[in-house]
Amino acid sequence: MPDEPRELELKYRIDSEPDYLRIVDSLPAVPGREDSTLRNYYFDTQSYLLSRSQGMLRLRRGETVVLCFKKGGEREGTPGFFDVVEVEGEVREELLEEALARPDVLLREPHPAIRSVLKHYGQIELEPIGYLDTLRRCRQYEGHLLECDAVTYPDGSRAFEVEVETTRPEDARKALLRIFDGLGITASPQRHSKLQGLLRKGGILP
């Protein structure tokens, strides 16, 4: 849809927590961007219609509650570079508890993210499909803003990644590789979203 905003983001998976912490400890923080803890609740149909077609509907609780719809994935030929529709905005805090109890209330919410869901998928029946927690620390390097995420899954396992929003992925890639090489860090292009990681752990996605 031409009127939907897009998120362009280069993502790298960090192999270990010590490597992740080395990045966080070695780079300067971003003024005004404090560390944040985010709980992400995901919604889909019983057959995972959205997830199986690179879609995602999420309510995220941080300082506020944000409703977000995304659709898309890794751009072909550009490893780790995700080009996705992203429609999001704050909602009233009560919506989260309401949606966990009765997911159908989401589709009645007058919100741009829900309008996008309906345009892409029509009327569907939603249910909660899981959650995960993200600790986000923002750092800066050579003019790039790095979102350094530590993800905790419900089973207690963890994953680590660095994300850079950019329209010039190869410039951002060179900057990240300079960081990784300088710190002796093992990293590789991320090939799936956080939600896809959650569903892969549950055996729902390959």
Side-chain angles (χ1 to χ4, degrees):
M1 295 169 52
D3 58 336
E4 290 175 304
R6 304 193 74 84
E7 177 187 60
L8 304 174
E9 196 166 56
L10 181 67
K11 304 181 182 184
Y12 266 75
R13 180 174 61 85
I14 310 302
D15 279 2
S16 69
E17 184 170 11
D19 280 353
Y20 166 80
L21 292 175
R22 196 171 298 125
I23 296 171
V24 169
D25 293 341
S26 300
L27 298 179
V30 178
R33 296 289 297 270
E34 301 296 327
D35 295 355
S36 56
T37 301
L38 310 166
R39 172 155 286 194
N40 306 276
Y41 296 90
Y42 297 97
F43 298 83
D44 205 335
T45 67
Q46 187 176 37
S47 62
Y48 297 94
L49 173 64
L50 277 68
S51 302
R52 296 186 189 278
S53 59
Q54 294 190 315
M56 181 213 75
L57 183 62
R58 176 187 72 204
L59 279 167
R60 167 177 281 174
R61 182 193 290 280
E63 291 187 358
T64 61
V65 176
V66 175
L67 177 61
C68 178
F69 169 71
K70 293 187 181 186
K71 185 170 174 59
E74 185 182 43
R75 183 182 289 181
E76 186 175 355
T78 313
F81 185 58
F82 287 71
D83 180 356
V84 304
V85 166
E86 181 186 54
V87 186
E88 66 177 357
E90 292 184 16
V91 293
R92 54 194 175 85
E93 291 198 9
E94 312 85 71
L95 181 63
L96 175 56
E97 297 304 323
E98 293 173 9
L100 291 173
R102 293 186 54 202
D104 59 294
V105 303
L106 284 174
L107 295 182
R108 298 197 296 271
E109 192 70 12
H111 192 281
I114 296 303
R115 289 196 289 273
S116 287
V117 171
L118 293 173
K119 287 181 180 179
H120 283 278
Y121 294 100
Q123 287 290 338
I124 52 178
E125 291 188 14
L126 294 172
E127 60 182 50
I129 60 166
Y131 72 91
L132 56 82
D133 294 317
T134 302
L135 172 59
R136 173 162 292 170
R137 299 172 166 113
C138 293
R139 297 295 184 263
Q140 52 188 330
Y141 179 77
E142 294 185 356
H144 297 282
L145 189 153
L146 282 60
E147 293 179 339
C148 305
D149 289 351
V151 179
T152 302
Y153 295 103
D155 65 1
S157 63
R158 306 188 76 195
F160 307 92
E161 65 182 33
V162 174
E163 306 174 348
V164 181
E165 287 198 26
T166 179
T167 58
R168 303 174 64 179
E170 295 313 316
D171 288 348
R173 190 187 312 279
K174 291 175 183 177
L176 289 180
L177 292 178
R178 283 194 290 273
I179 295 171
F180 302 151
D181 290 344
L183 296 174
I185 284 170
T186 303
S188 57
Q190 180 65 278
R191 314 312 292 260
H192 55 262
S193 69
K194 294 180 178 69
L195 172 59
Q196 288 168 337
L198 175 65
L199 297 180
R200 284 161 61 114
K201 291 177 75 65
I204 296 162
L205 293 182

